Amino acid sequence: MTGQTVTAGHDTLLNAVVGGALDVVELGHPYTTGMPCSPNHPGFRMTLIRRHGDMVRPDGGSAANEIIVTGGHVGTHVDALSHVSHCGKLHGDIDAEQAQRGGRFTELGAENIPFMLCRGLLLDVPRVRGVEALEAGQAVTEQDLRDAADAAGVTPRRGDVVLIRTGWARHFDDAQRYLGQQDGVPGADESAAEWLAAAGVVAAGADTTAFEHIPPGQGHSVLPVHRILLVENGIHIIEHLNLEPASARGLTEFTFVMAPLRITGGTGSPVRPVAVVSA
């Protein structure tokens, strides 16, 4: 509460943190110049514009800094509800053309993406199928998610964040294969999206560039799962996750933490999602 000081002795969570009882598992990729990026978006670039020694203060001190240029849907990021429209309408039947006037969205912008501190679930589809990673262009169906949930002993419920592992993050350093413009990318199909929506999740994420199933040769020509989740159900989508460390730890259920940048009128935000688990 405002104006009150909470000491470790009176707060269970703080006690766990101070006592070293909690561990953090990274769920995203570092941001690197030249990393894979959807052809629909400008890529990430970072360079130093001041180096140590370019200017030295009288006492010998120096500083370095950088300039960063990136699209809002590059690297590990979350989609705002303004990101996708259908037949001219955003989520909640909001007129997309009117909402985007003036160079930024006046409704459903990235500043409205909630801070997420909630239950997270990892549905590890390759683990259930007995493979290291799914094949290029392979659809993840409702039944796949049900099987993965059963294997993990969890059931998605309202307010959860569900993360779908395909194993595709292992190809992140091979941009051509990872983006799958020719061979496709594994991901959730429409039946999987409807199942997630029915559960009432607040967000869903995956370890691919578009979250959803990309058939061979089709690229990002149509994205029906984005329509189902963002437009029809107001469910945020998290993309370019790295779920390999979480899978290696055997995570299934955990505390999910993610803080989007409050980019006023934006359509997405870079994020650094983590799983908080017992040490």
Side-chain angles (χ1 to χ4, degrees), residues 1 7 20 22 45-46 66 68 88 90 94 96 129 174 180 185 192 208 211-212 221 231 243 247 259 261:
M1 296 181 182
T7 63
L22 300 179
R45 296 291 184 271
M46 189 283 288
E66 66 283 295
I68 298 171
L90 300 172
I94 293 172
R129 292 189 178 182
D174 182 349
V185 181
T208 63
F211 178 82
E212 64 184 272
S221 56
V231 181
L243 301 176
S247 177
L261 300 178

Side-chain angles (χ1 to χ4, degrees), residues 22 67 110 120 195 254:
L22 300 179
I67 184 169
W195 184 73
F254 46 87

Side-chain angles (χ1 to χ4, degrees), residues 122-124 127-128 144-154 252:
L122 176 62
L123 301 186
D124 198 332
R127 184 183 292 269
V128 173
D144 287 321
L145 296 188
R146 288 183 178 274
D147 291 344
D150 288 344
V154 298
T252 56

Side-chain angles (χ1 to χ4, degrees), residues 245-269:
S247 177
R249 290 273 299 253
L251 297 189
T252 56
E253 182 180 22
F254 46 87
T255 299
F256 178 85
V257 182
M258 186 182 79
L261 300 178
R262 300 178 71 185
I263 302 172
T264 301
T267 66
S269 168

Side-chain angles (χ1 to χ4, degrees), residues 129-186:
R129 292 189 178 182
V131 297
E132 292 185 349
L134 301 186
E135 297 294 329
Q138 189 171 10
V140 174
T141 67
E142 173 187 350
Q143 192 59 55
D144 287 321
L145 296 188
R146 288 183 178 274
D147 291 344
D150 288 344
V154 298
T155 301
R157 63 189 183 216
R158 185 162 301 279
D160 286 350
V161 170
V162 173
L163 308 180
I164 301 170
R165 178 177 175 262
T166 69
W168 210 242
R170 64 186 55 217
H171 304 310
F172 191 73
D173 292 331
D174 182 349
Q176 183 175 357
R177 185 174 186 184
Y178 180 78
L179 295 175
Q181 296 296 299
Q182 180 177 345
D183 298 328
V185 181

